Amino acid sequence: MLIASFSQRSLENACALWDEGQVVAIPTETVYGLAGDATNDKAITTIYSVKNRPVFNPLIIHCHSLSQAKRYAEFSLRAERVANAFWPGPLTLVLKRRMGCEISLLASAGLDTLALRIPAHPIALDLLRAYEIPLAAPSANLSNTISPTRAQDVYASLGERVPLILDGGDTSVGVESTILDLSGEEPVLLRPGGLALEVIEKQIGEKVLHYKGDEIKAPGMTKRHYAPEAKVKLNMTVKQNKQGEVLLGFGAVVGDLSLSLSGNLEEAAANLFRMLRDLDQPGIHTISIAPIPNHGLGLAINDRLRRAAAD
Ligand code: TXA
Ligand code: MG
């Protein structure tokens, strides 16, 4: 069976596959990741090819502890404070690579920086501790499709391209990690995600700049990304009464499904990708989506929805 529940045996299978430079899909608290040995060029090449991902789009490196992460990247005082406050958790830090860092240069697309995080998922942490070498892991889906929040989503997207999918149930956060660039003078948000910006700003006592460059520096910085097959229409409060249209509600806007009836943004983020997948069925040409407030996790939800709606 390709999808395996987590046990000592499946942990050993995963480590054996990583030793051979192969990839394994693993649960994290955000989305499922397609993980490979971050120090092995062959594994990194496999990750890019399994996902059909352009090689100029670098990967996130997963560690089990701050002391492990420090072997590979330079932590400023600010970075250390942020890491201590939010790791393990849905936050990725972009930091300068250390001299002699063994992480494959292919994994960071030749940049002199590294994107690092410690996932807050017991299975991911057990695997990282058992394997000891950091794991590079982008979301476990084909490039430009909706990220997987369940083991069966990984299978639906990648099928037999992955030799092993470890099932950890539904992910709890449901959107990818927030990416914060701390490699320069000022903290810069590269991607809104599962940790709210307000929470980070409060902790560090500074405003975080929003990345505005035109080069691709973070994910889905290509305009269309996270895209379902159906057309996505934003800020809709009613259906236009056409066949083949579904409404995804939020709060007072009651739809065919609701991201959160009580208007809770954490709940909405956790439901977002699963509901988009469930609504994206043959015969459905339009998914209309209720307005989502643009604060807290709403920033990440609206970011993903804008990309899903782009032509
Ligand atoms: O929640 C997550 O972050 C998930 C789980 C599996 O950990 N991973 C994930 O990976 O979303 P991915 O590959 O879909 O997004 C990683 C993004 C890349 O698109 C890239 O732009 C950015 O991280 N990134 C990686 N290394 C970078 C670097 N050195 N500088 C700037 N951005 C970087
Ligand atoms: Mg992705």
Side-chain angles (χ1 to χ4, degrees):
M1 185 59 184
L2 201 72
I3 300 183
S5 57
F6 188 63
S7 63
Q8 184 59 29
R9 179 146 170 251
S10 58
L11 177 146
E12 282 164 16
N13 287 343
C15 292
L17 286 163
W18 287 327
D19 276 340
E20 292 168 14
Q22 299 207 55
V23 293
V24 177
I26 65 167
T28 82
E29 81 281 32
T30 57
V31 299
Y32 278 71
L34 185 66
D37 177 343
T39 63
N40 181 338
D41 285 347
K42 181 186 156 204
I44 303 303
T45 311
T46 306
I47 290 175
Y48 282 111
S49 75
V50 166
K51 276 184 64 79
N52 284 339
R53 181 180 175 110
V55 292
F56 53 77
N57 191 359
L59 309 177
I60 294 173
I61 310 304
H62 297 68
C63 291
H64 58 66
S65 62
L66 180 55
S67 59
Q68 183 186 37
K70 280 185 171 173
R71 284 174 40 194
Y72 304 100
E74 305 279 0
F75 279 73
S76 60
L77 272 177
R78 185 202 270 136
E80 178 138 3
R81 270 204 330 263
V82 173
N84 274 317
F86 299 116
W87 280 355
L91 174 69
T92 294
L93 297 180
V94 172
L95 303 169
K96 287 253 182 294
R97 277 175 92 100
R98 279 183 73 150
M99 289 266 286
C101 166
E102 299 106 326
I103 304 295
S104 163
L105 273 168
L106 292 175
S108 45
L111 298 169
D112 61 1
T113 52
L114 215 53
L116 291 165
R117 86 175 189 103
I118 303 179
H121 192 290
I123 294 179
L125 285 171
D126 278 355
L127 289 161
L128 284 161
R129 289 192 197 104
Y131 196 57
E132 187 47 38
I133 301 171
L135 297 170
S139 52
N141 56 303
L142 292 175
S143 253
N144 294 331
T145 64
I146 301 168
S147 291
T149 57
R150 297 169 295 192
Q152 65 263 36
D153 300 338
V154 178
Y155 187 76
S157 188
L158 299 177
E160 310 288 326
R161 291 165 167 234
V162 191
L164 178 62
I165 301 168
L166 293 178
D167 193 349
D170 284 36
T171 63
S172 57
V173 175
V175 291
E176 299 87 344
S177 60
T178 300
I179 306 184
L180 186 67
D181 186 349
L182 294 183
S183 67
E185 289 288 299
E186 314 261 19
V188 181
L189 178 74
L190 298 183
R191 171 175 78 179
L195 181 65
L197 187 61
E198 296 91 329
V199 176
I200 301 174
E201 288 182 330
K202 183 153 183 240
Q203 206 283 330
I204 61 180
E206 305 172 73
K207 276 280 169 198
V208 170
L209 304 172
H210 291 243
Y211 180 70
K212 293 233 167 51
D214 19 306
E215 87 235 58
I216 295 187
K217 216 175 170 190
M221 281 205 145
T222 46
K223 199 166 138 235
R224 184 170 165 84
H225 197 79
Y226 308 106
E229 297 284 325
K231 190 171 159 46
V232 172
K233 277 202 209 158
L234 305 181
N235 297 316
M236 304 296 288
T237 50
V238 282
K239 272 204 270 192
Q240 292 171 316
N241 238 341
K242 287 190 204 128
Q243 244 204 332
E245 178 185 346
V246 287
L247 177 63
L248 182 54
F250 177 84
V253 178
V254 178
D256 298 279
L257 288 178
S258 174
L259 287 170
S260 169
L261 284 169
S262 65
N264 178 303
L265 289 165
E266 279 78 29
E267 185 187 2
N271 284 331
L272 180 67
F273 291 154
R274 176 171 49 81
M275 289 188 174
L276 283 177
R277 270 176 195 273
D278 288 350
L279 291 175
D280 194 24
Q281 297 296 331
I284 299 300
H285 55 71
T286 305
I287 303 174
S288 293
I289 304 180
I292 309 293
N294 207 34
H295 58 78
L297 293 200
L299 209 62
I301 296 172
N302 283 320
D303 170 81
R304 305 306 186 271
L305 287 176
R306 267 195 307 277
R307 294 179 202 283
D311 293 318

